Amino acid sequence: MWHGIDMCSLVYSFAFVPCACEHQGIVDDQFTQLRKLEDENSPHFVMEVASLFFEDCEKLINNMAIALEQKQGVDFKQIDECIHQLKGSSSSIGAMRVKNACIAFRSFSDGQNREGCLRCLQQLSHEYSLLKNKLQTLFRLEKQIVAAGGSIPRVH
Amino acid sequence: MSMNGKLSGSNCRLSANFRLKKAKETMHGPNSFRKWKRNLLFLWLLGFVSTGIIWFLLSFNSVALGSNKKTADSCEEKARILLQHFNVSKNQFLALASFFYESDQIAFLGCGKHSGLEKPWSDDVTCALKVLCPEKQDSRMQQVQIVKTMELKDQCPVQVENIHSEHDLSLLDHHTYVPQKSVSSISWEHHSGGKNILQGSAFGGQPKDNFKNLSFCMGKGCWLLLVGVILSCKIPGFCLKLRWKQKNEPAPLQPATQQLQLLLQQKQQQQQDQSPPKGAGKWRKKLLTVFVLLGILTSIWLFWHLNQKIILRREHTLANMCDERARMLQDQFNVSMNHVHALAILVSTFHHGKHPSAIDQKTFGEYTERTAFERPLTSGVAYALKVLHSEREQFEKQHGWTIKKMETEDQTLVQDCRTENLDPAPIKDEYAPVIFSQETVSHIVSIDMMSGQQDLENILRARATGKGVLTSPFKLLKSNHLGVVLTFAVYNKDLPPDATPEQRTEATVGFNCRYLGASYDVPSLVEKLLHQLASKQTIVVNVYDTTNASAPISMYGADIADTGLLHVSSLDFGDPLRKHEMHCRFKQKPPLPWMAINASVGVLVITLLVGHIFHAAICRIAKVENDCREMMELKARAEAADVAKSQFLATVSHEIRTPMNGVLGMLKMLMDTDLDAIQRDYAETAHASGKDLISLINEVLDQAKIESGRLELEDVPFDLRNLLDSILSLSSDKSNDKGIESAVYVSDRVPEVVVGDPVRFRQIITNLVGNSIKDKGHIFVSVHLVDEMKGTSDVGDKVLQQGLNLVQDMSSKTYNTLSGFPVVDRWRSWENFKLLNGKDAKDDPEKIRLLVTVEDTGVGIRLDAQDQIFTPFVQADSSTSRHYGGTGIGLSISKHLVELMHGEIGFVSEPGVGSTFSFTGAFGKGEVSSLDSKWKQYDPVVSEFQGLGALIIDNRSIRAEVTKYHLRRLGISVDITSSLESACTYVSSIFTTSAFAQLAMILIDKDVWNQETVLQLRSLLEQHRQNCKRNVSTNLPKIFLLGTSMSPVERSKLKTSGFVDNVLMKPLRLSVLIACFQEALGNGTKGKVRRKKISTLGSLLREKRILVVDDNKVNRRVAEGALKKYGAIVTCVERGHDALNKLKPPHTFDACFMDLQMPEMDGFEATRQIRSAESEVNDKLASGEASIEMYGNVSHWHIPILAMTADVIQATYEKCLKCGMDDYVSKPFEEEQLYLAVAQFFESG
C-alpha cells in the first residue's frame, strides 16, 4: 500500500516539476514539446538532450569566465560566439530563463561592458544551476519511477 | 520698339518659367501670399525694366535728333559760307567793274593778272577775260559777261540794273560758252557744296549709327541677361530635381517596413549627402556676388565710356566750330588783304605808271569809298610814299604840306588830332608820308608813317618781304577798338617772285618805294563774322596775337571764366612774322551727361534687381533645400519610429501573450479542480478577462501588422455558410443571454465554396458582430452577391426584397424584421459603394463579389461620431466602450481587411434604432472538391435529409426565410405559413398530395406558439394518419419549436409534455439542426460526425532522409529528435563543409535543414556552394557531359534547403531566398510551421 502511495506521489511530483518549472519561467513550451518527442523508441530523449546541454553549457560558461578574467583585454568576440551557442541550445531545450540571461548578456558583450558581462555571467550561472537542479530532480524522479517499476507518464 | 516686343516675349517665357518653378514650390508647401507677392514683384520689375529701356531708347533718339539739328545747322552755316564766298567774288567783280569806269583795258590786264588771287572762285571767268580781251578789246562786253555770270550765279538784280544800260544783248550769243563754263564751274561748286553738306550730314549720321549700335548692344545685353535669368532659374530647379531624384531613388527599393538599422543607415547616408547642397548654395552665392560686381563694373564702365564719348564729341564740335571760325576769319582777312594788295598795285599802276599821275587824292578817296564794301573790315586805306630826306623839300613843295610826324607813340591820344597841329617830322633818312587816304582816315594825310614805331617796323618789314605785313594790335586812331595795320610795299619795278629780302630792300632803296596801309578793326571783324554764324551763343571766341608767345595780346573777346574745354586754332593772316590764335570756349559748362548717367544707372538698377531676385531665389532654394532635408530627416525618423513602434507592439504583444497563456492555462486547471460556486465564478471571470486580454492583444498585433503592411491574405477555399455558422455560434453565447436573436442568411446565388482568407473574413464579421451585440433586438448577418444589388427593380431574393419593403412601408406597427424592432435601411449602407454605383465593366468572371451586411438593433452610433468610426482607438462613445467593452480598433482593422479584400465598407446608423454595416469583398469561386477536409464534415449527413419537406410557421417572413435557408442547405424543401391557423389549413389542403408524405417536420417559431393551436394541429395530423391507414409506416411530421432564449428546464418541460418533438435554439446552425433532426427522425444512423484525419507530418516525413546542419549539438539533437519522431531518417553534421560533402550529388537526401549562424561557413554560404555545385552538375547533365546514371538517375538536382533560424524577420527571409534556400522554419520547431514548410516539397511527391 505504501508502495502505491509512494508511487502516486512520485508520479505527481514528476508531473508537477515541469509544470512548476514552466510556471516559474525556467522552461517554456519548447520543453514540453521536447518531452512530447519522448516515446518508446527514445525513452530518454529529454535526459539525453539535457545532459548534452549541461555539458555544453558548463563548457561555455567556463570559457566565458576565463575570457572575462583576462587582464589584457577581453576577447568579446569569443564571448559573443559562446553566448550565441548558449542561446541556441537553451532555446532548443526551452530553457527560457537561461535564454533570457543570454540575451541580456549579449547586449552587454555587444557594448563591450566587462562589468555587465561579469554580472550577467553570474546571473547566467545562477539560472543554469537552477535549471540543472530542477531537471536533475525531474530525472531523478523519473529514475525512481522506473526503479519502482512504474511507467513514466508520457506527455501527449 | 521691336526690341520691346521681344522683351515682352521673353518675359512671357520667363513668367512661364516662374510659374513652373512656383508649381514646384507649391509641392513643398503652397504659400499663396508669397506667390502673390512674388507676382507683384515680378510685374513691378517687368514694368520697370521696360520703362527703363523705352526711356533709354527715347533719350538716344533725342540725342540723335539733336545731332541732326546740329548737322543741319552746320550745313546751313556751310551754305552761308559758300554764299559769302560767292558774294566776295561777286564783290570783286563789282569792284573791278566799277574800276573799269575809269580805266582802260591795258591797265586791266595787269590788274586782272594781279587780282587773280582775289578771285579764287572764278578762275575761269578771269581766264575767259584773258582770252577775250586781246580779241575784242571791248571791256564793255566783258562786263556783260561778268554780269551774266553773276546773274547765273546768284541773281543780283541791283548790280545788273546798274550796269545794264550799255549792253548789247546780241553779243551774248557769241560767247555763250563763257557763261556755260562758269555755270558748269558753279554747278561744280554747288556739287562740291552739296558733297560737303552730304559729308556733314554723314558725319551727323555717324553718331546716330553709333547710338544705334550701342542700343543694339544694350538690347543684346538685356537678352543675354534674360537668358541668364531663365537659365539660372532653371538650373537650380533642375539641380534640385536631380538631387531629389537621387535622394528618392533608393527609397522605393526599401519597403516601408524596413528595419530600424537600415533606416538609420539611410539617414546617415542622407546626412552625408547633405554637404553638397550647402556647397552648391555657397557657390551660387559667390556667383551672384561676382555677377553683381560685374554689373556694377559694367555700369561704371558704361558711364565712363559714354561720358568719354560725349566729351570727345564736344571737343570735336568745339574744334570744328573753332576751326571753322578761324578759317572764316582768316579767309575774310585774306580777302581784305588781297584787296588791299590789289589796291596797292592799282595805285602803283595808275599813280606811278602814268605821268602825270592818274590818281589824285580825290580819285583815290572816291575809289576807296566806292570799293569800301569790299573791305568791310578795313576802317581805312592810306597810301604813303617813300620819300628820302634829300627829296623831302621837293616833295613838301610839290604837295604843299610838310611831312609831319606822329605825335606820340600812344595812338590812343590821337583822338581828335589835327594834321595842322602836328609837328613836322624830324629829320630822318627817309620818310613815308601819306599822300592818299580814304575819306575815313583823311586826317593822316601828310603824316610820316615811319615816325610811328609800329608803322616803321611794318614798313621796313613790308619792304623786305614784299608781302602784307601786320602790326601788333593797338588802339586804332579815332575808334577805340583794337586794330592792326596792314602794310604793303609797292615797288616801282616788278621784282621776280623769288627775290631775296636784300634785293627787295635794294629795290626800295634803289627805286622809289611806296606803301599802302590799311587798318583793320579786329573786334568788329570778328563780331561781324560771328554774327553770320549760327550758334554763336554757344561758344566764346577770343583772338590773340601770339607773336610774343609769353605775352599774348588779346585782340578780341572778353576774358571769360574757364569752362573747361578750350580749342586753339591758329590764324594765318598772311604775315609769317605775326602769329595769331583763336581760342574757342563753350559758353556754358558741359551739361551733366544724362545719357551716360541714365544708361549706367539703368544697368545698375537692372543688375541690382536681378541680383535681388537671384538672391531671393537662392535664399528660397536654400530654404526649400533645408526644409526638404529636415523633412527627409523627420520622415526617416518617423519611419524608424514607426518600425520601432511596430516592433515594439509585436514584441510586447508576444511577450504579454506568453505569460497570459500561463495565466489562462493555470486558470483552466484551477477550474477543473473542485471549487465552490463563488471560487468558480472568480476563476471563470478571471479566465474570461484573460481571454479578452488575449484577443485585445491579438487585435493590437493585427493593427500593427496592418500598419506595417505585413498582413497578407491567404487564398484558400472555404465553405462560407459553415464559417458563418461557427461565427454566430461563438457570439450566440453572449447574445442568447441577453435575449438577442442572431441569424445568418446567405443568398442562394452565393456559391457554396469560395476562395479567400477565412480567418480574416471571420475576423471582420466577428468584429462587426461584436460591435453590434448590445441590448436588444437582433443581429442579422446576410450575404449576397453584389450583382444582386445592382438592379433594385427585380430583386429575386426575399430577404433583400423585405429590406426594400421595409423602407416603403414604415407605417405598419410591427416591423418585418428579425426581432420586430425597427432597423435602419440597409440599402443606404452600401449606397456609396463605388462598385455598385460605377458600371464596373471589367468584371473578372473568376471572381465573385460578396456583399455582407450586418444589421443590428443596438443603440446606434452618434451622428457626430460617425465620421471617425473607422479610426483606430476611437469608439462611438467613450462611455459605451466601458459599458460594452471592446478596444475600438476592431472596426479599423476590419476596414483594412476589407480593403485588402479589394472591397469597401460602409454603414448606416441611427441613434436609438441601430446600425447596419455592409462590406464587399472579392473572392474566388471554389470547387466543392477543392475544399479542405475540415470543411467537409457534414457531407454524408446532408444526403440523409434530401427530399424531405418542412413547414415553417412564422409570422415574420424574414425570419421564416432565414429558417428556410438553413433547411434548404440540408436539401429540405420548405413551405411557409404565417400562423398556426393557416398552417392547419395548409396541412389539410395537402393531405391528399404526395407533398404531405414528404412533410417530415413542422417548425414553429416561439412567437406564434400557442399550445391550443399546436394541439389542434397535432390532432389534425393524428386524425389524418388514422384516415389513411394504408400509409402506416409514414411518420407523422415532427414538430419543432424555434426559440431564442429558453432555459433548459423550460425546454425539457416542453419536450416531455409532448407538445413538441424538440426545441431548436437559435441561432440555427447546420450542425445543431442535423443533430436535432437525426435524433427526432430517428433514422438509425448514429450520426457521429466523422472527422477525417488530416495528413500529418508523420505521413509526410516518413522514411525521408533529412540532413540537419547545426553547430550546436543541443540544437542538433533536438532537431534530430523532432524529425525522427515524424519518421524521418536524420543525419546530422556539425559544419557547413560537412554538409557540402554530404550534399555533393549524387546523394540520397530528400531535404536539408540548415542553421544560419555557424562558425567557419555559415548557412548562407553553405547553401550558395551547394547550389553552385548542383547547378554545375545540372549543366553537365544538360549538356550531356555526364550521364544520368552517374548521378543517381536524377536529371535535375535541387535539394530543398530550409533555414533554421531563431529570429524570423523579413530581411532574413529575403536573404535566405537570395542564397538559394527554399524556405525557413523557426527554431525550435513548431509542428504547424514545420508541416507547412515541408508540405510544399513532399506532398506533391
Side-chain angles (χ1 to χ4, degrees), chain B residues 138-152:
Chain B
D138 188 349
S139 66
R140 294 235 167 99
M141 207 95 85
Q142 290 306 314
Q143 272 155 21
V144 171
Q145 292 302 326
I146 292 157
V147 168
K148 275 288 148 193
T149 318
M150 300 321 291
E151 220 174 4
L152 278 163

Side-chain angles (χ1 to χ4, degrees), chain A residues 19 23 30 34 36-37 39 42 45 48-49 52-53 55-56 59 84-86 88-89 91-93 96 106, chain B residues 658 662 666 669 1111-1115 1117-1118 1120-1123 1125-1126 1155 1157 1159 1206 1227-1229 1231:
Chain A
C19 211
H23 187 65
Q30 179 60 23
L34 271 187
K36 278 183 188 170
L37 293 177
D39 56 12
S42 54
F45 178 68
E48 193 188 326
V49 171
L52 272 174
F53 173 71
E55 199 182 299
D56 196 32
K59 195 182 81 201
H84 178 70
Q85 286 270 342
L86 196 54
S89 26
S91 72
S92 270
I93 205 171
M96 202 154 81
R106 191 154 203 188
Chain B
T658 320
M666 284 300 135
M669 278 172 77
D1111 61 313
N1112 189 321
K1113 56 185 167 197
V1114 179
N1115 287 355
R1117 186 69 189 89
V1118 170
E1120 188 189 350
L1123 290 170
K1125 197 192 168 206
Y1126 302 120
D1155 187 27
Q1157 278 179 305
K1227 206 166 57 171
F1229 293 147
E1231 193 176 344

